[in-house]
């Protein structure tokens, strides 16, 4: 059949591109416009082989073979098929398992069935040499493409290079049409929305009035031994910061997909040490040498906060009436949401929180719910917080060792949620005509 097929080893292509642009084969250093990359591969393949494209096969590794956001975007593109191997971590390094075998099987099967006349291989692995030779024996022309090496040398197996019928180099100019250093930004890496710093989240200052109220409440709580109930009823939270604040809530209680997985409502001594607090106690007095910054408070994300063991756990009546996103979403909207998740949402934790909050606020029929959740800051009502974290888990934000979302990512997810709620609340109160 007079068509061409492209087989891409994503680990090689993107790793070599990172080496070329960043000086190290770390894919986290680059950002990729997959639409532009696939289009570039198609145009180059059709020009080099003088045949129409049948299909592009994208081979990559993923933890537990679970498709990541980039894989979900790729596999819905026209004439693109994604094949996933395992991604395992050993001695602090990630390694692909099964990708070479899958490429070898696809290469030999395409040639044996005469599905195409030309095959383009974007790889450097010598393990594909037997498959390449088998394809040639079946009358298929094999084109081997390399990514320009950072040091000007080969980054492919010499045996593979020697057996290929045609060879091409994807140089820096071609690579940078679709790949950028993250620090450089560019068309495929727009500047991210402002996102919170962990230090700011963990040590958000209270207004002076709230500090005084918290101190008085702490003294009263100390007299009756009710320090934990003091934290439970939120008296140390204080007034909500201005809408421009990016502070978010600290984890507390069982949360979404991590429920029952060992998350504790009680912060670790390490957390408390950074805030000048003793376990379960009020803020310690600042030493004379300490910086004269306002007192800080732990900020909980859930209604649960610190609770006594055995205490009845129920949803507070002030948040029980708030609908979940699932309750607000029709079948048609659910389908559209899934399409957007696949094609447009990058999976960045801050963006995930914003997308969830945007959908929730857009679908509220009662605008008083928006004001109500706004007054709950910094606590996201428990049902909604769990739903938010379950949604985030779809984007591969789980730490696969224990199926928990990384602590840093949880902060960013909730910060994105509150940023979007702040924007919507401000829009609701903006004078008409602004």
């Amino acid at each position: 059949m007079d068509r061409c097929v492209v087989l891409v080893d994503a680990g090689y292509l993107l790793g070599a591109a990172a080496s070329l642009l960043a000086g190290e084969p770390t894919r986290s250093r680059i950002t990729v416009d997959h639409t532009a990359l696939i289009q570039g591969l198609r145009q180059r393949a059709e020009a080099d082989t003088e045949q129409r494209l049948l299909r592009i096969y994208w081979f990559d590794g993923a933890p537990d073979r679970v498709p990541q956001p980039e894989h979900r975007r790729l596999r819905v593109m026209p004439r693109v098929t994604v094949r996933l191997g395992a991604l395992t971590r050993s001695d602090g390094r990630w390694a692909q398992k099964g990708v070479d075998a899958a490429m070898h099987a696809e290469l030999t099967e395409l040639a044996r069935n005469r599905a195409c006349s030309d095959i383009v291989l974007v790889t450097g692995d010598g393990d594909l040499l037997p498959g390449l030779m088998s394809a040639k024996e079946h009358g298929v022309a094999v084109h081997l493409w390399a990514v320009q090496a950072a040091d000007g040398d080969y980054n492919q197996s010499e045996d593979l290079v020697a057996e290929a019928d045609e060879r091409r180099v994807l140089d820096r100019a071609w690579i940078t049409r679709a790949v950028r250093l993250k620090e450089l930004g560019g068309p495929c890496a727009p500047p991210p929305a402002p996102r919170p710093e962990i230090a700011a989240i963990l040590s958000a200052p209270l207004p002076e009035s709230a500090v005084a109220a918290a101190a008085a409440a702490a003294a009263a709580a100390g007299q009756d031994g009710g320090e934990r109930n003091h934290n439970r009823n939120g008296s140390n939270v204080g007034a909500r910061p201005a809408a421009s604040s990016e502070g978010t809530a600290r984890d507390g209680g069982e949360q979404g997909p991590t429920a029952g997985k060992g998350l504790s409502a009680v912060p670790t001594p390490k957390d408390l040490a950074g805030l000048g607090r003793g376990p379960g106690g009020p803020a310690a007095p600042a030493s004379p040498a300490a910086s004269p910054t306002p007192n800080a408070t732990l900020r909980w994300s859930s209604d649960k906060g610190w609770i006594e063991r055995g205490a009845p756990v129920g949803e507070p009546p002030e948040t029980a009436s708030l609908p979940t996103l699932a309750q607000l979403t029709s079948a048609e909207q659910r389908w559209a949401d899934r399409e957007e998740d696949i094609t447009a949402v990058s999976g960045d934790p801050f963006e995930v929180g914003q997308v969830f909050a945007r959908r929730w606020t857009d679908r509220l029929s009662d605008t008083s719910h928006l004001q109500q959740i706004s007054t709950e800051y910094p606590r996201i009502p428990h049902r909604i917080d769990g739903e938010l974290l379950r949604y985030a888990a779809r984007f591969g934000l789980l730490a696969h060792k224990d199926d928990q979302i990384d602590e840093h990512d949880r902060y960013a997810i909730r910060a994105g949620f509150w940023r979007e709620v702040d924007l919507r609340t401000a829009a609701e109160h903006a004078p008409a005509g602004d």
Side-chain angles (χ1 to χ4, degrees):
M1 183 180 292
D2 292 337
R3 290 185 180 179
C4 67
V5 170
V6 181
L7 305 183
V8 180
D9 179 349
Y12 166 77
L13 173 60
L14 300 182
S19 292
L20 180 63
L21 302 180
E24 56 179 322
T26 306
R27 288 165 61 170
S28 61
R29 292 289 308 278
I30 58 175
T31 183
V32 183
D33 183 342
H34 290 90
T35 302
L37 182 57
I38 293 299
Q39 185 64 25
L41 289 169
R42 177 172 187 167
Q43 292 175 350
R44 183 71 177 264
E46 291 182 337
D48 281 8
T49 64
E50 299 181 350
Q51 305 292 347
R52 289 185 303 153
L53 177 75
L54 173 62
R55 191 172 298 115
I56 295 176
Y57 289 90
W58 185 273
F59 296 87
D60 202 2
D64 301 328
R65 300 180 190 267
V66 176
Q68 302 299 293
E70 65 182 271
H71 302 138
R72 293 201 298 272
R73 289 195 295 274
L74 283 163
R75 65 185 183 180
V76 297
M77 293 182 183
R79 296 187 181 269
V80 176
T81 297
V82 176
R83 297 278 189 262
L84 294 179
L87 190 64
T88 60
R89 191 172 182 86
S90 177
D91 297 329
R93 300 181 63 183
W94 290 101
Q96 295 183 155
K97 300 293 184 182
V99 172
D100 297 337
M103 288 190 71
H104 180 276
E106 200 71 57
L107 175 60
T108 54
E109 194 70 13
L110 289 167
R112 184 181 299 115
N113 293 327
R114 300 186 182 278
C116 56
S117 60
D118 296 76
I119 292 180
V120 175
L121 284 177
V122 186
T123 185
D125 198 329
D127 291 345
L128 286 177
L129 182 61
L132 185 152
M133 297 175 68
S134 175
K136 290 173 63 177
E137 291 170 0
H138 284 88
V140 174
V142 180
H143 305 250
L144 183 65
W145 289 1
V147 175
Q148 179 183 338
D151 56 6
D153 201 356
Y154 282 114
N155 53 14
Q156 292 177 306
S157 162
E158 290 189 15
D159 292 335
L160 209 61
V161 171
E163 286 293 333
D165 294 308
E166 301 284 348
R167 295 178 294 277
R168 294 287 184 273
V169 175
L170 305 177
D171 59 16
R172 180 186 292 268
W174 191 93
I175 290 293
T176 52
R177 294 174 189 170
V179 182
R180 298 282 192 278
L181 278 173
K182 282 189 175 179
E183 294 83 356
L184 297 181
C188 63
R195 58 183 296 172
E197 296 295 335
I198 297 302
I201 295 170
L202 286 176
S203 57
L206 287 170
E208 292 183 5
S209 58
V211 171
Q223 293 174 0
D224 61 10
E227 290 88 346
R228 289 196 173 189
N229 286 329
H230 160 65
N231 284 280
R232 169 67 181 93
N233 64 28
S235 61
N236 68 328
V237 172
R240 180 174 185 175
S244 61
S245 171
E246 293 182 14
T248 188
R250 169 122 170 90
D251 219 43
E254 297 172 346
Q255 298 295 334
T258 61
K261 297 285 186 179
L263 284 181
S264 172
V266 182
T268 65
K270 180 180 178 182
D271 292 334
L272 295 171
L275 293 167
R277 298 174 64 94
S287 64
S291 173
T293 56
N295 289 342
T297 182
L298 289 173
R299 296 190 160 192
W300 302 100
S301 62
S302 163
D303 292 320
K304 293 194 172 182
W306 280 351
I307 57 174
E308 296 285 357
R309 289 186 179 275
V313 178
E315 187 168 14
E318 61 270 18
T319 61
S321 62
L322 291 176
T324 63
L325 180 60
Q327 294 170 333
L328 297 170
T329 303
S330 66
E332 292 79 8
Q333 288 171 324
R334 189 170 295 109
W335 177 274
D337 289 348
R338 200 62 165 167
E339 285 290 308
E340 183 184 17
D341 290 344
I342 292 171
T343 59
V345 181
S346 70
D348 174 79
F350 190 79
E351 180 190 6
V352 166
Q354 286 185 302
V355 170
F356 181 94
R358 170 173 56 79
R359 292 174 182 169
W360 189 81
T361 54
D362 281 348
R363 293 167 192 173
L364 288 174
S365 58
D366 186 351
T367 56
S368 66
H369 288 318
L370 179 60
Q371 184 60 36
Q372 186 176 354
I373 199 170
S374 181
T375 60
E376 291 297 316
Y377 182 88
R379 300 178 180 181
I380 302 176
H382 188 61
R383 288 182 306 136
I384 297 175
D385 187 57
E387 190 180 32
L388 169 62
L389 294 184
R390 287 192 295 274
Y391 171 68
R394 298 180 188 175
F395 294 90
L397 294 175
L398 294 179
H400 292 270
K401 179 179 178 181
D402 50 10
D403 291 331
Q404 294 182 5
I405 295 180
D406 179 76
E407 186 176 29
H408 183 286
D409 289 342
R410 290 199 303 272
Y411 292 141
I413 291 164
R414 288 155 178 157
F417 177 91
W418 282 120
R419 168 53 63 88
E420 191 66 21
V421 169
D422 284 341
L423 294 174
R424 298 307 173 102
T425 304
E428 284 286 329
H429 293 85
D434 281 8

